[in-house]
Amino acid sequence: MHYGNLWNKLGRQLRETAARQVWVAQHAATLQRLVSATTAHLRTCGAVLTRTLSCVRATRTSPLLVVRTEGSGQLYVRGARTSLGRAVPIAYCCPHRCGAQPLANIAHGAAHAGLPAAPAEELFRAAADAAEPELGRWAPRHLANLAWACAHAGHGGGARFYTALAAASRPQLSAFNPLELGMLAAAFAKAEQRAFTRDLCRAVRRSPASLGPQELATVADALVRLKGLEPESSPKRHARVARALKRLSRAARVRLVAAPLTFGLQ
């Protein structure tokens, strides 16, 4: 949680600073230490660890073995059998999880901080690896923030990561608000990943009127870029994107007639 808050505040400050590149260059060593510490923390999330542990309580009737671990008090290992006081090597899943909010904050803050390429790649790869197994439990806003941050920074996971993002977003697509949908669409377009194109087209055709002017422009731009990624040998995919763009253009025309000032027109 503390790393997430730190990166989130750092990103907000640097995003509003005109001399961001100068500040980052002046504090390169400090930022590298922060990246290293954060990366080490992220790599412990859900890791399978093996330790030689001493049994502090065990009974014949209980299926649980209580062992003492460093820094985490007691750990209950189901099904383990040993004698009281005997040291045994036990492999267990680390109970610590980084959590959706801290991970999204780390990625979002780092994307705004403008880190150099090497530490940025190190940090985003660790964040993507830590997040991937848990994406199915994440809320839409965390999925959108993580996707946007990784794509904006140009680092993070590859095709497998974006496929996992699409799979996690698909069942709850109707729960994404317009801003989150725009962020998700822009992320997949910038990362040149086609895993979400069909779902995005369906969402646009379902409720284009719910998108505001900024989201209309963002999603339309993303669809145009995603359409360019589709192979020419797939006319059905091109037609799918074209229908979604047509729906967006109709929604934009309605908004222009109803309230032209919302588009900055006088």
Side-chain angles (χ1 to χ4, degrees):
M1 179 65 73
H2 298 300
Y3 282 111
N5 288 338
L6 178 58
W7 278 105
N8 191 35
K9 292 178 181 179
L10 179 64
R12 286 183 179 181
Q13 291 294 326
L14 292 179
R15 178 177 56 185
E16 301 171 357
T17 302
R20 181 179 64 176
Q21 293 182 347
V22 175
W23 190 94
V24 170
Q26 291 176 344
H27 298 83
T30 302
L31 285 173
Q32 180 59 61
R33 288 196 298 271
L34 177 59
V35 167
S36 299
T38 307
T39 301
H41 169 73
L42 292 174
R43 286 175 178 164
T44 67
C45 296
V48 175
L49 307 175
T50 301
R51 296 287 187 272
T52 299
L53 305 168
S54 296
C55 171
V56 295
R57 187 177 77 242
T59 64
R60 294 182 180 180
T61 58
S62 173
L64 294 177
L65 169 67
V66 186
V67 294
R68 197 181 308 279
T69 61
E70 295 180 3
S72 60
Q74 293 180 333
L75 176 72
Y76 295 83
V77 183
R78 184 175 298 277
R81 294 182 179 179
T82 185
S83 300
L84 186 62
R86 180 183 176 186
V88 291
I90 297 176
Y92 62 93
C93 182
C94 179
H96 167 68
R97 287 195 178 98
C98 294
Q101 182 74 63
L103 269 170
N105 283 347
I106 289 171
H108 205 262
H112 283 301
L115 296 174
E121 183 176 3
E122 176 187 0
L123 179 62
F124 278 95
R125 186 172 299 278
D129 290 343
E132 188 174 333
E134 302 293 328
L135 290 176
R137 305 177 184 178
W138 284 27
R141 64 192 182 99
H142 300 316
L143 292 169
N145 278 326
L146 179 65
W148 178 89
C150 289
H152 181 77
H155 300 289
R160 190 185 72 177
F161 173 69
Y162 284 96
T163 300
L165 267 175
S169 304
R170 194 171 291 120
Q172 49 182 336
L173 197 56
S174 60
F176 280 76
N177 64 34
L179 176 61
E180 293 161 355
L181 187 64
M183 293 174 67
L184 201 62
F188 276 84
K190 188 165 186 176
E192 299 187 350
Q193 299 292 333
R194 298 187 293 116
F196 194 63
T197 305
R198 175 183 295 181
D199 306 286
L200 177 61
C201 290
R202 288 176 177 172
V204 167
R205 293 199 304 269
R206 189 180 302 118
S207 57
S210 66
L211 299 175
Q214 182 62 52
E215 289 78 30
L216 279 170
T218 300
V219 174
D221 176 70
L223 283 175
V224 170
R225 296 169 69 177
L226 289 169
K227 183 180 179 181
L229 299 176
E230 297 289 352
E232 294 294 337
S233 58
S234 302
K236 290 184 178 180
R237 295 179 181 177
H238 282 268
R240 183 189 301 124
V241 179
R243 289 194 297 270
L245 286 170
K246 191 173 182 180
R247 282 290 187 91
L248 286 176
S249 66
R250 289 176 181 173
R253 285 199 299 271
V254 170
R255 286 184 173 273
L256 280 170
V257 173
L261 291 180
T262 62
F263 282 83
L265 301 178
Q266 298 181 0

